[in-house]
Amino acid sequence: MIDTAMSRADCANAPARRLSATLLGLRVSSTALAAALTMPGIAFAQDAASTANANPTAKAQVEATTSQADPTPQPAAPAETPAQAVAAAAPADENIVVTGIRAGLDSSAKIKRQSVLIVDSVSAEDVGKLPDVSIADSLARLPGVTAQRLEGRDQRLSIRGLGPDFSTTLLNGREQVTVGDNRGVEFDQYPSEFFKTVNVYKSADASLIAAGIAGTVDLRMLRPLDQGKRVIAISARGQMNGIDKLNPDGTRYGYRASATYVDKFANDTLGIAIGGSATSAPSQDERYNAWGYNGAGTAASPFVVQGAKPYVQSNELKRYGGVATIEWRPSDRFHSTFDALYSHFEETQHLRGIEFPLDSNVSSDPTAANYATSAHRGPITASDGFADTLQFTNVHAIQRNDYNQRKAENYSLGWNNDLKLTETIHLNVDASWSHAKRTDFLLETYTGTGYGASGIGDTVNLTRQSNGAYRIVPTLDYTNTNIFKLTDPQGWGYNGTSPVVQSGFLNRPSFKDDLKSLRASLNGEFENSIVKSWEVGGNYSRREKTSAYQSYFLCPKATGTTCAVGNGVATSAAIPAEAIIGTIPLAYLGVPAALALNPLYLYNNSYNSAYDGRPSSLVRDNVVIENVYTGYAKINIDGDVGGKALKGSIGTQVVHSEQRSDGQIASVVSGVVTNAPASQKVTYTNVLPSATMAVELVPLGYVKIGASQTMVRPRLDQERVTQDVAINTSNIQLGNINPGLNPVFSSTGGNVALKPYQSTNIDLSFEQYFRGGGYVALSGYYKHLTDFVDPNNAYFYDFTSLLPALTPAQQAIVINNKLTNGVVSAPANTGRGSVIGLEGTISVPFKMITTALDGFGVFVSGNYTDSAIKFASNPTQAITLPGLSKWTGSGTVYFEKHGFQARVNYRYRSSFLAEVAGLSATPTYRTAQSEGILDAQIGYEFQSGFLKNFAILAQAKNLTDRPFVTYQNNDPRQVIDYQRYGRDYYLGITYKF
């Protein structure tokens, strides 16, 4: 193995330093060329008492006639238990008490009604019990919110057609880091049992320090001083996958357990809430992946699959965590709250299958040099422009036995203090820390019949199925260890300068994300004025994300010290008997079975490793640092205008950002890898005005309108300083006079000078609430987007300063033929466009219609979104926004009465651009087919006797057994991914003391 530090130090020579200086100047030039103007940031006032500042942790206001206009109210806790709620819209002489599903819906409706912002919420039905299996499941039922499934779990959220890169996630009103690669929070890192309410804010207010242009998700923990009495709750739940385990070392059974303790002391001035959770969640995936398609899609030239990879995957997600809240309110003049959250996340994946190189590796000329190592295609039967049946001979497939493990830890601390300085002025100080770290171990192992397609070739018959995937029937026995061995079956291994034997590969990336924040604000009231109150404040935050990568080529053990071909390295080795753990079923796609090997045994006993020193690998390490200074001021309005109740706020933010990245720039010149350190810093300032108003036109009927300028920062990997520079000396030819077609110099990397996406927003909502509970709402929104990041931006750049890396003779040709210009590929703020949409919600308890239907109800939502975003590089062609489904909808029918509860939910989203893992786990985008998911649950809570407060609940997910399917070229027939997760079943119990 090559020592990483030594190899990099040896490479840092003078040309590399010149290369570094050149590319730093290059980035500055690219920014000057890009339309990189500033962005606004959305804002939301965090919870506060009637005269307090915007406090991320404070109790919600519910008395609309006396409180200031608070854009983020939380539900008031009733006197008995948090599972009970008084219907906010009920007449004064009635006391309607509901529990469970209806309590959660009523609480969410109250939040929506009282907020001057446009907001949708999910509230816990009881302590530690959000209404779905996960946070993302619950949010996906809200209007305008959709979730993309990853490994069978709802994970990647889109709000109003904009993907996770365009929204932010808060915990108790504070910005959070993520265990993911960029900014988008992975909701699996948060146990759902810890949260009382999850709010999705869709319009802006000046006092929201961190937010997105799509919306803001705010996770709210319960407040112990709001509880009526001591609460002790425990729960346990078992899980079973509908598909039996697909790998010998997998499992189909899981569990989930949690406990919560809430109490008050010292005459109800001190409260504590403690919670713990442990989860083991398995999943099984039957997967098919096509490499792409050759052909024109005509009868004369039908589409033919380039290659296919059927494999099975068994996952197990283990997570444990805890939360604690200490709340102290010794008097009405001082209120202090401390929150802590810890979560440990570990996911293990076993993936096994076969890669079949097909039409991408075909040769039909027996005289060609590559004929013996290429596949040969036989006759085709076709229809509708697609090959229906065909045969390939001399196929040299690659058996894969892979092991992926991800470990992550998440910490979050927050301390809020609110001091009443006078009868009308409060000082609020809030300090927070959010930290996440993650390490991945991504191991691939390969077996085949011989190195570089030199072994026995297979005959493979393909038949296209109705779902778009091909049934693949091989001739060879893929469980025969006399035929298959550890090797590089296609000879794909290359370290950047020479071939290597790649019979396996190991990626070991690690990430650290750290965010510290300090906020202070003053709030005061005006007397006898429709302008109710004022607020000014400031916030400083420092975020640092470190991305570090290590990767290694793996080759069979031999006498050589590296994996380079011809260096004493064995090209193949027998499969050790100790590594064989059985077989895997691939019959769902035609393959009878394949070998199941233990990849960790192979890694520890059968492989040598060689450090991956390719320039593209060396430049991945980077650090991005953002220092952000935010000041804001606003006034709140609360009064009557023309006899109508009016609330709102008008304000602005000023955001000054210092953005920096440290990394490396690397290149290959004449077979020698060079690299050098690089660093760059930029600053910019944004001014973000906002205004929002809510007027009660008719009793319990509101019109809400908002106008704002908001911003969200680009992906962190796009802000990196790193560059991979290529100097192609083979293009230094006397006859080459076109650097556009045959460039000598080129570069690919990030852009530190990227500015945030900006959006000018108009939001309008009509909401009518009913005295018997429930409501209808219709909202419209328009977003004008500027400084949209084009991730594939490219431009010409003069690389003259890199000429010293060439020989004098090469320099002369480059200068004489004017080949110093080259193409730089780096993201830039060149896009602009718009998003427009309409969303509606109907929440109706059927008791409103007739008392005979008391306990029944429906919650239905729908959304339509359209967008038109164009880049300067192609101003006539609109792009597809990642995560945008034009049509989405969700419908829930429920019954709850006398302890019984039942609920069925169906949600639908039309096709959308999904982010999936591509080659070497690199994120890539593909169009996903429309999908509809059906979930259901039924349960009972004992109302009396020795089992009182004991509940049992059965749940089922994905009852439609809907697969996740992607395709290319806007042609649903060209299926790329077909992933079947099956159904999941849960059975749980809960007991409250």
Side-chain angles (χ1 to χ4, degrees), residues 770-926:
F770 308 125
R771 291 194 175 276
Y775 66 93
V776 294
L778 182 65
S779 302
Y781 50 92
Y782 173 79
K783 300 178 183 295
H784 177 67
L785 302 172
T786 56
D787 285 354
F788 203 95
V789 175
D790 179 359
N792 301 311
N793 180 70
Y795 56 92
F796 273 107
Y797 180 77
D798 187 353
F799 287 86
T800 298
S801 58
L802 294 186
L803 286 174
L806 305 177
T807 66
Q810 291 172 329
Q811 291 182 41
I813 296 175
V814 169
I815 294 171
N816 291 335
N817 291 16
K818 299 180 180 180
L819 300 176
T820 55
N821 283 338
V823 175
V824 174
S825 298
N829 299 99
T830 69
R832 60 192 304 117
S834 62
V835 175
I836 188 169
L838 189 70
E839 63 188 28
T841 307
I842 301 174
S843 179
V844 179
F846 287 171
K847 184 181 178 181
M848 293 174 49
I849 303 171
T850 172
T851 57
L853 294 176
D854 183 27
F856 289 94
V858 296
F859 182 90
V860 179
S861 67
N863 176 267
Y864 172 80
T865 305
D866 195 15
S867 71
I869 309 295
K870 298 178 181 179
F871 295 134
S873 59
N874 190 5
T876 62
Q877 181 65 46
I879 68 163
T880 300
L881 276 178
L884 186 148
S885 291
K886 281 201 170 185
W887 295 98
T888 66
S890 175
T892 300
V893 179
Y894 63 86
F895 171 78
E896 185 172 47
K897 195 173 183 180
H898 304 311
F900 288 99
Q901 66 157 279
R903 189 186 70 198
V904 176
N905 173 260
Y906 180 82
R907 70 178 192 267
Y908 167 83
R909 69 181 304 183
S910 59
S911 60
F912 63 100
L913 194 63
E915 181 177 323
V916 297
L919 185 64
S920 297
T922 302
T924 188
Y925 291 101
R926 298 193 188 107

Side-chain angles (χ1 to χ4, degrees), residues 292-306 359 377 380 382-387 470 968-969 971 973-974:
Y293 297 87
N294 291 334
T298 64
S301 178
F303 287 126
V304 178
V305 65
Q306 296 175 352
D359 210 56
R377 191 176 73 194
I380 295 175
S383 64
D384 194 27
F386 259 90
Y470 278 91
Q968 68 176 18
N969 299 329
D971 185 352
R973 302 173 304 166
Q974 297 186 42

Side-chain angles (χ1 to χ4, degrees), residues 560-612:
T561 57
T562 72
C563 289
V565 174
N567 193 30
V569 173
T571 57
S572 299
I575 298 173
E578 297 84 352
I580 302 172
I581 60 174
T583 62
I584 56 167
L586 293 174
Y588 70 97
L589 278 177
V591 182
L595 276 174
L597 306 180
N598 183 344
L600 289 178
Y601 180 89
L602 296 176
Y603 174 71
N604 291 320
N605 298 279
S606 304
Y607 285 137
N608 283 335
S609 61
Y611 183 73
D612 178 8

Side-chain angles (χ1 to χ4, degrees), residues 642-707:
K644 306 296 183 183
L646 175 69
K647 292 185 179 183
S649 68
I650 301 173
T652 192
Q653 280 186 12
V654 178
V655 184
H656 179 73
S657 305
E658 296 178 357
Q659 195 165 287
R660 194 186 91 199
S661 179
D662 303 317
Q664 298 189 69
I665 295 175
S667 182
V668 176
V669 182
S670 300
V672 178
V673 177
T674 63
N675 69 340
S679 182
Q680 187 182 1
K681 175 183 175 181
V682 297
T683 62
Y684 51 87
T685 301
N686 304 99
V687 179
L688 313 173
S690 62
T692 183
M693 298 291 167
V695 59
E696 189 173 3
L697 287 181
V698 298
L700 299 178
Y702 301 85
V703 174
K704 299 178 181 179
I705 187 169

Side-chain angles (χ1 to χ4, degrees), residues 276-576:
S277 173
T279 299
S280 175
S283 64
Q284 313 297 326
D285 307 344
E286 292 179 343
R287 311 187 71 157
Y288 165 88
N289 173 262
W291 296 0
Y293 297 87
N294 291 334
T298 64
S301 178
F303 287 126
V304 178
V305 65
Q306 296 175 352
K309 181 169 63 175
Y311 62 106
V312 292
Q313 178 174 339
S314 296
N315 304 330
E316 185 177 18
L317 184 155
K318 293 183 177 180
R319 182 189 61 216
Y320 59 84
V323 294
T325 297
I326 302 173
E327 189 176 13
W328 185 43
R329 188 165 51 210
S331 69
D332 62 356
R333 304 191 68 85
F334 182 70
H335 187 188
S336 181
T337 308
F338 176 79
D339 297 307
L341 179 145
Y342 170 76
S343 178
H344 175 85
F345 177 102
E346 183 176 320
E347 183 172 18
T348 302
Q349 299 178 340
H350 300 278
L351 303 91
R352 295 183 173 94
I354 307 173
E355 290 193 68
F356 293 96
L358 301 172
D359 210 56
S360 65
N361 190 41
V362 163
S363 175
S364 58
D365 182 5
T367 64
N370 65 339
Y371 184 78
T373 58
S374 299
H376 311 144
R377 191 176 73 194
I380 295 175
T381 62
S383 64
D384 194 27
F386 259 90
D388 291 327
T389 63
L390 67 164
Q391 184 184 84
F392 289 91
T393 58
N394 202 40
V395 174
H396 294 86
I398 306 100
Q399 284 205 75
R400 296 277 296 269
N401 283 263
D402 298 351
Y403 173 88
N404 297 335
Q405 185 179 69
R406 169 179 291 188
K407 293 183 178 181
E409 290 184 302
N410 185 52
Y411 306 83
S412 182
L413 302 177
W415 188 23
N416 184 271
N417 295 277
D418 191 86
L419 177 64
K420 189 176 182 180
L421 300 177
T422 70
E423 290 304 313
T424 60
I425 297 178
H426 280 239
L427 170 68
N428 186 275
V429 178
D430 189 87
S432 63
W433 176 61
S434 179
H435 182 82
K437 58 183 180 180
R438 180 188 117 203
T439 57
D440 291 356
F441 184 90
L442 311 176
L443 175 63
E444 302 175 2
T445 69
Y446 316 139
T447 57
T449 60
Y451 173 76
S454 61
I456 302 171
D458 193 7
T459 297
V460 179
N461 295 286
L462 279 74
T463 304
R464 188 165 176 262
Q465 303 178 103
S466 59
N467 60 16
Y470 278 91
R471 181 174 177 81
I472 303 170
V473 181
T475 302
L476 292 180
D477 178 3
Y478 282 81
T479 65
N480 189 341
T481 56
N482 293 320
I483 299 176
F484 289 92
K485 57 197 74 176
L486 304 178
T487 188
D488 184 351
Q490 287 287 326
W492 284 338
Y494 187 74
N495 65 7
T497 59
S498 60
V500 296
V501 178
Q502 184 179 332
S503 57
F505 195 78
L506 175 63
N507 266 313
R508 301 192 70 172
S510 63
F511 305 91
K512 290 184 180 179
D513 201 353
D514 188 88
L515 175 65
K516 301 177 180 69
S517 181
L518 180 64
R519 173 174 177 166
S521 58
L522 281 171
N523 171 281
E525 288 190 350
F526 298 108
E527 293 185 0
N528 303 318
S529 172
I530 191 174
V531 181
K532 175 75 172 180
S533 60
W534 55 269
E535 184 178 337
V536 295
N539 186 84
Y540 166 73
S541 67
R542 184 182 191 275
R543 183 170 191 170
E544 179 175 337
K545 184 137 192 174
T546 302
S547 303
Y549 297 83
Q550 288 184 323
S551 52
Y552 302 87
F553 295 101
L554 304 178
C555 56
K557 280 189 173 180
T559 56
T561 57
T562 72
C563 289
V565 174
N567 193 30
V569 173
T571 57
S572 299
I575 298 173

